Amino acid sequence: MHIIINTSCMVPIYEQIVDQIKTQIRKGNLKENDILPSVRSLAKELKISALTVKKAYDALEEEGFTVTVHGKGTYVVSINTELLLEEQKKELEADLENAIQKGRRCGISDEDIRSLFELILEG
Amino acid sequence: MHIIINTSCMVPIYEQIVDQIKTQIRKGNLKENDILPSVRSLAKELKISALTVKKAYDALEEEGFTVTVHGKGTYVVSINTELLLEEQKKELEADLENAIQKGRRCGISDEDIRSLFELILEG
Amino acid sequence: MHIIINTSCMVPIYEQIVDQIKTQIRKGNLKENDILPSVRSLAKELKISALTVKKAYDALEEEGFTVTVHGKGTYVVSINTELLLEEQKKELEADLENAIQKGRRCGISDEDIRSLFELILEG
Amino acid sequence: MHIIINTSCMVPIYEQIVDQIKTQIRKGNLKENDILPSVRSLAKELKISALTVKKAYDALEEEGFTVTVHGKGTYVVSINTELLLEEQKKELEADLENAIQKGRRCGISDEDIRSLFELILEG
DNA sequence: GTGGTCTAGACCACT
DNA sequence: GTGGTCTAGACCACG
């Protein structure tokens, strides 16, 4: 399971796990009926608490991406990947809008905001 | 004091106050030796907790924009507005970078990220 | 907050809390905009872990019965109590059906099942 | 061996096996000194894990319904079927009581609980 | 004070 | 082995 945890950024670990598993489902790296790593094994691999992994798995099941079978494991279910992409874009849109609004609140011109954005995207 | 609080957005109230006061300093609406409204009066005006205003004022003093004189009030100090603008841009840059990284982590293409960004900026 | 925890039965503590708060909302003991006890205070009162209370509150928010404001607390929102009653009856129905099916699987006659049921209900 | 496994219901598989074997003993389909199917063969027949069958057989032996002879198999022992029926009723009673208590905890009236019960029993 | 996240460990039930 | 629940404590952000 290729999951990268960035403990230095402010995004909760469990949310980072959710994001990346959702993306792997969308991209087809995880297919219907695939089994996710066990809570404990992923926790060990990522060197984090099992509860944190469990919280991520709970969120995935809540959102309908997986089903958990007691004593067996957590399985990927059939997903409309188109819909998932739209949802992830909605999240990105909200983040960008927050950043832009904050910049404007600070009195930074749209030109300057765009310049910064391009600088980051290119760099 | 013209400060607008948006309780529905996810930016903490105290941070909104800090941002807007810093911007007013940078734009010259607040000059050296000007006195800020008292913690209690601003809290009353904005209908928020005095503790929240206090936290914003503390942050401003911590960053060197104001000095607080016990029993008198909080005063604006001399500021290099150029430097301030740069600092605010750095913050914006960090937010934009976070958003872009999250988008990429979700596997959204740079073109799609740029399209979303332009859509929001224009809209 | 009158909540009774039965640690000897197999129903998870957090679920017992959810059930009882939902019922108090339905019965009008908890009204719109009422604030729930803080996570820590309820935990202390019930002599359980704060995380267990938090799990219950998270479930309530997930189901749309409450909203949580960071740093302030958890508030009851407007609820269709009719709908809630129906939902709770659905849960009871499932439990009763499970019990009946198990009885039948053991070869106990419907007459005997009904007798037992009435015996318990009458007390 | 006529055993029906319902993986979709919430009763553990091993418990379903125990229930049905106990019932067959009580009804006389399984008599003293009859041999149960081997763990592996029953597991294969029901398409479940051999460990699950083993757990069911262990429970039966624990409760005194069978004896296991190492290297030979698991045999039914002499049973007071009257007593067994009583025991199974006790279990049903506990399940019904739990359901009723939960319904009452949710504030559902005894009349409503009875109506639901009859609806399920008749339906 | 409040909630949000995380840890390290425990015990239980199910396969 | 698996997941489900719970504990007792920690640190952080927000008001």
Side-chain angles (χ1 to χ4, degrees), chain A residues 101 105, chain B residues 1-21 24 37 39 41-57 60, chain C residues 69 72:
Chain A
Q101 282 180 354
R105 213 168 48 229
Chain B
M1 200 65 179
H2 290 295
I3 287 181
I4 299 164
I5 299 298
N6 182 356
T7 52
S8 71
C9 90
M10 281 190 17
V11 181
I13 295 174
Y14 84 96
E15 197 175 317
Q16 296 184 39
I17 297 174
V18 169
D19 281 351
Q20 293 181 53
I21 291 183
Q24 294 194 26
V39 168
S41 69
L42 185 55
K44 198 173 176 186
E45 186 185 331
L46 301 179
K47 290 172 187 162
I48 60 178
S49 162
L51 278 177
T52 305
V53 177
K54 176 78 169 45
K55 183 163 186 180
Y57 281 20
L60 284 167
Chain C
V69 182
K72 296 198 74 175

Side-chain angles (χ1 to χ4, degrees), chain B residues 29-42:
Chain B
N29 299 338
L30 283 172
K31 294 185 183 61
E32 194 176 345
N33 296 325
D34 279 359
I35 186 169
L36 294 184
S38 78
V39 168
R40 282 182 184 74
S41 69
L42 185 55

Side-chain angles (χ1 to χ4, degrees), chain A:
Chain A
M1 202 63 180
H2 292 295
I3 286 182
I4 299 164
I5 298 299
N6 181 356
T7 53
S8 70
C9 89
M10 280 192 15
V11 181
I13 294 176
Y14 80 93
E15 200 175 315
Q16 295 183 38
I17 296 174
V18 169
D19 279 351
Q20 292 181 53
I21 291 182
K22 278 161 79 171
T23 300
Q24 295 197 25
I25 292 174
R26 214 196 69 229
K27 292 194 157 181
N29 299 338
L30 285 173
K31 294 188 184 59
E32 195 176 345
N33 295 326
D34 279 0
I35 187 168
L36 295 184
S38 81
V39 169
R40 283 172 181 76
S41 68
L42 186 55
K44 199 173 176 186
E45 185 185 333
L46 301 180
K47 291 171 186 162
I48 58 177
S49 161
L51 258 187
T52 304
V53 177
K54 174 146 196 321
K55 189 167 182 181
Y57 281 20
D58 282 350
L60 284 167
E61 183 160 22
E62 182 74 29
E63 295 185 55
F65 296 107
T66 57
V67 286
T68 297
V69 183
H70 196 125
K72 296 198 75 176
T74 299
Y75 298 85
V76 176
V77 301
S78 169
I79 289 294
N80 182 338
T81 58
E82 283 296 320
L83 223 66
L84 176 49
L85 178 58
E86 286 313 307
E87 187 200 303
Q88 289 185 325
K89 281 188 181 172
K90 281 266 182 290
E91 274 184 47
L92 171 60
E93 196 178 327
D95 288 351
L96 286 174
E97 182 143 16
N98 272 336
I100 289 173
Q101 282 180 354
K102 187 173 168 186
R104 285 172 172 163
R105 213 168 48 229
C106 290
I108 299 173
S109 74
D110 281 12
E111 287 315 305
D112 285 356
I113 296 176
R114 179 181 284 112
S115 301
L116 272 172
F117 175 83
E118 290 297 335
L119 210 68
I120 299 163
L121 202 64
E122 302 298 339

Side-chain angles (χ1 to χ4, degrees), chain C residues 25 29-36 65-67 69 73-79:
Chain C
I25 292 174
N29 298 340
L30 283 173
K31 293 187 184 60
E32 195 177 346
N33 296 326
D34 280 359
I35 187 168
L36 295 184
F65 295 108
T66 57
V67 284
V69 182
T74 299
Y75 299 86
V76 175
V77 301
S78 168
I79 288 294

